[in-house]
Amino acid sequence: MAASRPLAPALSPVPGDAVASLAAELRALPPSCGPVRLVAVDGHAGSGKTTFAGRLAAALGGAPVVHLDDLATHAEPFGWTGRLREQVLEPLAAGRDGAYRVYDWTLRRFAGTTAVPVAPVVLVEGVGAGRRAVRPWLARVIWLELDAASARRRGEQRDGPDLAEFWAGWARAESAHFAADPSRPFAGTRVDGVTGRITPGTVGEPSTSP
């Protein structure tokens, strides 16, 4: 585990032209949060969100990336919506730079801050980035397509046995979250977590969850 967040998993190379095309598509969207096109990169833990968001940010010319692992905590893995709204979304919506306090997963407390400048596109990356409370601010939800069991295996292999207990607790919290507040049905873009292939999503796809 890194000092501030769990390490990013591996993701198969995504063709540069496909990422560049997606970046151009996102830039052409109407602003959704003040002058910003806010884009969520969501999926199960271990699906490759952080890696993909980094590649997309580079294709966007260095777009800011908000990592939700920096806003979550051990005690509240999904209790970050208020912090995101107050420290990032509301400032951006008003045309001002945001800045959020970063949770240190080793020290188990918030330490330091990360700036989120106003930009044409800002990415919000993490499990639940496309959740109900955030969607009104979003221009697009991108979903990393990898099933929960495969994503967990990838994460456990990456992090090793020392974090097995963490992963067991996280898997329960994640499952409960997506059962109550799914993101995948609202994704306008999906990325295969194994091949890296980018495909259009089907927004409003039927779901067994509300």
Side-chain angles (χ1 to χ4, degrees):
M1 179 182 292
S4 60
R5 71 176 74 92
L7 296 173
L11 181 70
S12 298
V14 183
D17 55 348
V19 179
S21 295
L22 177 58
E25 180 183 339
L26 297 176
R27 288 192 200 97
L29 294 173
S32 60
C33 182
V36 172
R37 294 149 188 85
L38 194 70
V39 175
V41 180
D42 204 339
H44 296 289
S47 61
K49 298 178 303 302
T50 304
T51 301
F52 181 77
R55 293 173 181 170
L56 181 57
L60 287 162
V65 182
V66 177
H67 297 285
L68 292 177
D69 283 345
D70 289 344
L71 289 162
T73 68
H74 285 87
E76 296 180 312
F78 291 97
W80 43 258
T81 52
R83 290 187 285 274
L84 179 68
R85 184 184 66 252
E86 294 166 9
Q87 299 175 45
V88 178
L89 303 183
E90 291 177 349
L92 293 180
R96 305 191 311 270
D97 294 347
Y100 62 90
R101 297 177 63 207
V102 175
Y103 184 75
D104 189 303
W105 288 84
T106 301
L107 300 177
R108 292 177 173 255
R109 61 179 175 82
F110 286 95
T113 60
T114 293
V116 186
V118 173
V121 180
V122 172
L123 306 179
V124 179
E125 172 276 316
V127 179
R131 71 193 301 177
R132 187 181 300 115
V134 182
R135 284 197 296 273
W137 310 82
L138 295 174
R140 175 71 58 86
V141 175
I142 298 172
W143 177 263
L144 268 291
E145 197 79 279
L146 188 67
D147 66 274
S150 297
R152 180 178 176 179
R153 283 195 297 272
R154 180 189 284 177
E156 289 178 328
Q157 290 171 359
R158 173 198 70 201
D159 292 340
D162 290 347
L163 292 181
E165 184 177 350
F166 171 85
W167 270 97
W170 172 262
R172 290 190 294 271
E174 181 186 273
S175 178
H177 168 74
F178 281 134
D181 192 354
S183 301
R184 186 177 182 274
F186 301 93
T189 301
R190 294 182 185 162
V191 180
D192 190 298
V194 176
T195 67
R197 184 184 178 205
I198 301 172
T199 61
T202 305
V203 177
E205 178 182 88
S207 173
T208 57
S209 302

